[in-house]
Amino acid sequence: MSAPAPVIAIDGPAGAGKGGTAALVARHLGWHLLDSGVVYRVVALAALRRRADLAQGDRVAAIARTLDISLQPGTVTVDGADETLAVREPEIDSAASKVSALPAVRAALFDMQRSFRKPPGLVADGRDMGTVVFPDARLKVFLTAGAQERARRRYRQLKDVQPGVSLRALSKAIEERDRRDRSRAASPLAPAPDATTIDSTAMSIDAVAEAVLALARERGIGRP
Ligand code: C5P
């Protein structure tokens, strides 16, 4: 049997630059990309639309199993409908964090996330890519940034699409989400023991992607 396709896992808190970095690294290597946060966002959106109680793991997991989710760079399609903008609504930030704490929901999404692993390779970003979903990833990066800088980045991303958004409110929401993600029992946000931590506070996304690619080269993966 041939070896499974290599994986680069990029985990870390909200606003650390994981998504932008993962997209650049995947593009450079010509690898597939998995933004696992979007998967939890889609489940949260579907659960809210069906008026499900977000604390009921079995109910939300049953909804998760019915969804036909397709992720293309920059576009999220669910059961044939384009939900790219809907999954970025502020209420989905916190709803995704709530449903992602439910072990039944994480279990329902496990195989689906692993199915993204295909040749020539996969760059996956999230909270538990290196610890739970792809523990044998060839490279694990834990990407962090100072809390204020993470809030500012989120603000810059959102201010054009959500003109009423406030930096203060965003900062509070990010703190709350990270606290929940770090303290939950199921797959908490934490670096894998064999992860390399990169603090991106004073770095551009291009510089972070270059640092990840340099680590990949050290491990003999990707293009020279
Ligand atoms: O990365 P993003 O902000 O889109 O993720 C939304 C939420 O989904 C996170 O706050 C986290 O609670 C959850 N998540 C997770 N595990 C992942 C990716 C995201 O629990 N691998």
Side-chain angles (χ1 to χ4, degrees):
M1 219 174 77
S2 58
V7 175
I8 295 178
I10 303 179
D11 290 306
K18 300 181 301 291
T21 301
L24 283 178
V25 171
R27 181 146 31 103
H28 181 89
L29 295 173
W31 285 13
H32 300 279
L33 179 65
L34 167 62
D35 174 350
S36 61
V38 167
V39 178
Y40 289 96
R41 286 171 179 275
V42 165
V43 173
L45 179 70
L48 284 177
R49 286 194 181 148
R50 288 165 176 75
R51 302 193 190 289
D53 176 350
L54 296 189
Q56 279 193 1
D58 291 346
R59 167 93 173 102
V60 180
I63 292 172
R65 280 191 291 270
T66 66
L67 301 172
D68 176 14
I69 305 173
S70 156
L71 305 181
Q72 300 300 325
T75 310
V76 184
T77 310
V78 186
D79 296 334
D82 185 342
E83 304 288 8
T84 312
L85 291 179
V87 296
R88 296 288 162 199
E89 291 288 330
E91 64 167 336
I92 301 298
D93 287 355
S94 101
S97 170
K98 284 180 190 153
V99 300
S100 72
L102 304 168
V105 171
R106 301 199 78 85
L109 298 174
F110 185 74
D111 289 340
M112 187 256 177
Q113 292 176 86
R114 286 173 61 97
S115 72
F116 279 76
R117 183 178 197 166
K118 288 186 194 131
L122 174 69
V123 183
D125 84 82
R127 305 296 187 286
D128 63 341
M129 297 294 97
T131 48
V132 176
V133 181
F134 302 109
D136 62 340
R138 290 274 292 279
L139 171 62
K140 299 179 187 179
V141 172
F142 194 76
L143 195 57
T144 62
Q148 282 194 351
E149 177 59 19
R150 293 191 288 113
R152 271 197 295 268
R153 286 179 189 168
R154 255 318 203 289
Y155 178 75
R156 282 196 296 267
Q157 271 175 357
L158 289 178
K159 70 178 181 350
D160 295 332
V161 275
Q162 287 162 26
V165 70
S166 98
L167 180 59
R168 236 179 114 94
L170 261 182
S171 189
K172 245 186 104 195
I174 283 188
E175 259 172 51
E176 169 66 17
R177 192 145 69 96
D178 286 345
R179 192 197 48 71
R180 195 183 296 122
D181 291 350
R182 283 184 209 275
S183 60
R184 69 189 177 208
S187 308
L189 166 65
D194 50 348
T196 302
T197 295
I198 298 178
D199 182 340
S200 74
T201 309
M203 294 168 83
S204 68
I205 291 298
D206 285 332
V208 179
E210 192 36 60
V212 173
L213 287 165
L215 289 168
R217 281 193 294 273
E218 278 173 21
R219 284 162 178 74
I221 47 179
R223 295 174 186 161

